Amino acid sequence: MNAPSHLPSVDKLLQHPRTAALLDSYGKTQCTQAIRAALADARSRWLAEAGSSPDSADALLDAAEHQLQQLFAPRLKAVYNLTGTVLHTNLGRALLPQEAIDAVVQALATPSNLEYDLADGGRGDRDDLVEDLVCRLTGAEAATIVNNNAAAVLLVLSTLARDKEVVVSRGELVEIGGAFRIPDVMTRAGARLVEVGTTNRTHEKDYEAALGEHSAALMKVHCSNYAISGFTKSVPEADVARIAHARQLPLIVDLGSGTLIDMRDWGLPYEVTVRETVEAGADIVTFSGDKLLGGPQAGIIVGSKALIAQIKKNPLKRALRVGKLTLAALEPTLRLYLHPEKLAERLTTLRLFTRPAAAMQQQAMLLQEPLQNLLGADYVVDHAAMTSQIGSGALPVESLPSHGLVVRPSERKRAGRLLQQLEAALRQLPRPVIGRLRDDALWLDLRCLEAADQPAFAANLQQLALGSSGKDGPA
Ligand SMILES: *Cc1c(COP(=O)(O)O)cnc(C)c1O
């Protein structure tokens, strides 16, 4: 159907005096497309509402400009993570230390010795940038780095167990974050899963009975995101290692988070370290770079020289390898671990885990009144003790004492709608604020809002635009 003759043409709008600024900001291709789309919209509206007056050139250009602004706006936005989950997978997991940020900026802007041996001018191996550090920090003989821990598990199984069997306890056939399930990864790696034991109990004799001529490895998987309690038994790594080694088979351990330090030294709950796992006899250990380690997304594989060499020769390694930005970020993060006395100050994730609740309480008390004033009589803002989670499946049952703000609607009958409105308004802020809805209240855990960020946070909140709250008048 043709345009109503009284709508301006695309050419006419492109030559409109207002369009010069749009052309300068956004270029001809996108401006033309946005104007066409605005015209198409206006045309269908005009057809749908017979007799309505067609849009003016200004209204059409407003629509085009709005579209262009959205098209050119960044999609990846900084947000405030007040969910109380420090390593929040949907919000990007670990925040990196300044040393890593600086190194990434440099790697983005300048050539580097990524695969170049500065000692002899020959070709290098990108793993060399971090391998000695990883080995020093874990006690392993060798290491290689891939895109994430899921890739690490895939690569290890594909190398060591293709067309063969891998024995795993039923209690450890976990699913991590929806898309990573041990049985599925096993299939994709071409390995056959042999399940032993029951969901809650697996014994040494179960492993022994499952081993045969097709066995390639025994595997233990850290039950990252769930805990079995009650009548349970699992076989410790050292005992599974002994069973494996008696048959010249390797023990593979997927540690998931994999910490490099004894977290108890920082007053945190205990989590088995990579070093302890290596010392228990694991031949290969895999873990994530962006969980408890506090670095970039990466999968770190450590183990014996011979097995790591075999893994590095798998053609999949080339497909799963990391880019220079990952290595640029990982290397300084690992170097921080060489100096544990300063670690809680420098490693951002550890600094967040170890923030005293009193610091968050002080912040909450400072923010309570300004937030109450912004929200008006529809809401009641309190500060309260709460608990943060480490997140990303690390220590699922452990929580950290924290403090924050709790916002409750002042009227019960409109509570649901008011809460939704508030939650949405916080998401629409220039820097969106993400909290947690629970028990008919919005909880804003201040653990991940460091004191230095507080002024910017308060200024951002001033932009809060709560829509009208409905029949009872404006909020
Ligand atoms: C998190 C986790 C994975 C996946 O690690 P990514 O780095 O997210 O790919 C695999 N196994 C276990 C046990 C985990 O906890």
Side-chain angles (χ1 to χ4, degrees):
M1 185 110 31
N2 285 330
S5 56
H6 26 267
L7 275 179
S9 68
V10 174
D11 276 342
K12 191 133 193 212
L13 287 172
L14 277 171
Q15 272 145 39
H16 192 283
R18 250 185 81 183
T19 310
L22 296 183
L23 285 166
D24 187 51
S25 301
Y26 304 114
K28 183 149 187 215
T29 312
Q30 297 307 328
C31 282
T32 310
Q33 277 198 26
I35 286 171
R36 286 218 169 94
L39 277 167
D41 263 6
R43 192 178 305 137
S44 18
R45 242 179 301 115
W46 185 81
L47 288 172
E49 300 161 31
S52 64
S53 57
D55 289 10
S56 65
D58 259 329
L60 289 161
L61 289 175
D62 283 347
E65 181 164 11
H66 180 70
Q67 269 189 45
L68 288 162
Q69 279 168 350
Q70 289 204 322
L71 179 63
F72 280 78
R75 271 66 165 170
L76 189 65
K77 287 187 176 180
V79 304
Y80 287 104
N81 171 11
L82 305 193
T83 60
T85 300
V86 180
L87 299 172
H88 196 300
T89 295
N90 304 136
L91 303 181
R93 286 196 189 159
L95 300 181
L96 273 75
Q98 192 57 46
E99 288 80 354
I101 296 164
D102 295 343
V104 169
V105 170
Q106 179 183 300
L108 282 165
T110 66
S112 57
N113 59 329
L114 177 66
E115 287 187 352
Y116 183 80
D117 188 335
L118 289 172
D120 66 12
R123 196 196 153 110
D125 177 342
R126 59 181 67 199
D127 282 336
D128 291 349
L129 296 170
V130 294
E131 187 174 13
D132 70 312
L133 286 167
V134 174
C135 292
R136 190 179 278 267
L137 294 166
T138 61
E141 281 175 18
T144 184
I145 315 295
V146 288
N147 183 54
N148 54 19
N149 187 36
V153 174
L154 178 72
L155 181 62
V156 166
L157 291 173
S158 149
T159 309
L160 304 182
R162 216 175 115 183
D163 299 325
K164 298 231 179 87
E165 293 175 353
V166 180
V167 178
V168 188
S169 159
R170 283 208 167 82
E172 297 172 10
L173 295 175
V174 294
E175 170 180 307
I176 318 278
F180 178 89
R181 291 171 152 198
I182 290 291
D184 297 344
V185 175
M186 194 78 75
T187 309
R188 285 292 163 155
R192 280 194 307 281
L193 170 66
V194 177
E195 303 174 26
V196 299
T198 59
T199 305
N200 58 334
R201 291 175 71 84
T202 300
H203 305 268
E204 284 181 34
K205 61 178 189 301
D206 297 325
Y207 284 103
E208 309 260 12
L211 291 167
E213 55 170 325
H214 301 297
S215 307
L218 284 79
M219 184 177 188
K220 292 229 1 132
V221 183
H222 191 283
C223 297
S224 301
N225 51 2
Y226 86 121
I228 326 183
S229 57
F231 184 59
T232 66
K233 169 159 171 44
S234 70
V235 184
E237 266 80 358
D239 297 324
V240 185
R242 195 171 31 71
I243 297 167
H245 297 162
R247 289 168 177 76
Q248 276 81 51
L249 294 174
L251 168 63
I252 301 165
V253 179
D254 173 14
L255 262 194
S257 213
T259 176
L260 301 177
I261 51 174
D262 186 335
M263 305 220 307
R264 290 170 298 189
D265 294 347
W266 283 267
L268 295 166
Y270 171 72
E271 169 77 12
V272 64
T273 67
V274 180
R275 182 183 290 276
E276 286 165 337
T277 310
V278 169
E279 282 170 0
D283 302 278
I284 288 290
V285 184
T286 71
F287 54 101
S288 288
D290 57 349
K291 292 185 180 172
L292 284 174
L293 195 145
Q297 179 189 304
I300 303 173
I301 309 174
V302 303
S304 70
K305 270 207 165 72
L307 292 181
I308 295 290
Q310 205 182 328
I311 287 166
K312 287 178 77 152
K313 282 199 214 107
N314 185 331
L316 264 186
K317 169 72 201 317
R318 177 63 178 76
L320 302 173
R321 75 176 186 186
V322 288
K324 64 181 176 184
L325 301 185
T326 301
L327 288 165
L330 184 59
E331 189 225 296
T333 306
L334 292 169
R335 271 192 282 115
L336 295 185
Y337 280 90
L338 297 175
H339 191 349
E341 296 86 341
K342 291 269 169 72
L343 197 60
E345 188 185 316
R346 294 175 176 164
L347 186 70
T348 310
T349 47
L350 189 60
R351 193 169 68 231
L352 294 174
F353 295 150
T354 55
R355 285 189 78 198
M360 280 88 83
Q361 177 168 8
Q362 203 174 20
Q363 283 180 294
M365 287 162 70
L366 280 172
L367 285 166
Q368 181 186 5
E369 194 181 302
L371 185 60
Q372 180 68 73
N373 292 341
L374 272 170
L375 297 184
D378 274 344
Y379 300 91
V380 179
V381 182
D382 278 322
H383 70 87
M386 48 190 75
T387 50
S388 317
Q389 309 276 318
I390 287 184
S392 273
L395 304 162
V397 292
E398 307 282 357
S399 48
L400 312 168
S402 185
H403 212 92
L405 297 162
V406 184
V407 187
R408 289 192 176 81
S410 40
E411 260 185 78
R412 259 195 104 78
K413 69 173 168 31
R414 291 190 300 142
R417 192 154 46 89
L418 283 169
L419 271 180
Q420 265 178 10
Q421 205 169 56
L422 173 62
E423 193 255 351
L426 288 169
R427 271 192 281 112
Q428 301 311 316
L429 280 167
R431 181 163 166 183
V433 173
I434 317 292
R436 185 169 38 137
L437 287 173
R438 191 166 66 88
D439 301 337
D440 297 324
L442 181 72
W443 298 66
L444 303 172
D445 185 322
L446 297 181
R447 175 172 300 275
C448 295
L449 181 71
E450 291 195 275
D453 299 329
Q454 184 143 337
F457 177 77
N460 181 61
L461 271 188
Q462 294 296 326
Q463 316 268 322
L464 194 72
L466 279 168
S468 156
S469 65
K471 57 182 191 306
D472 299 318

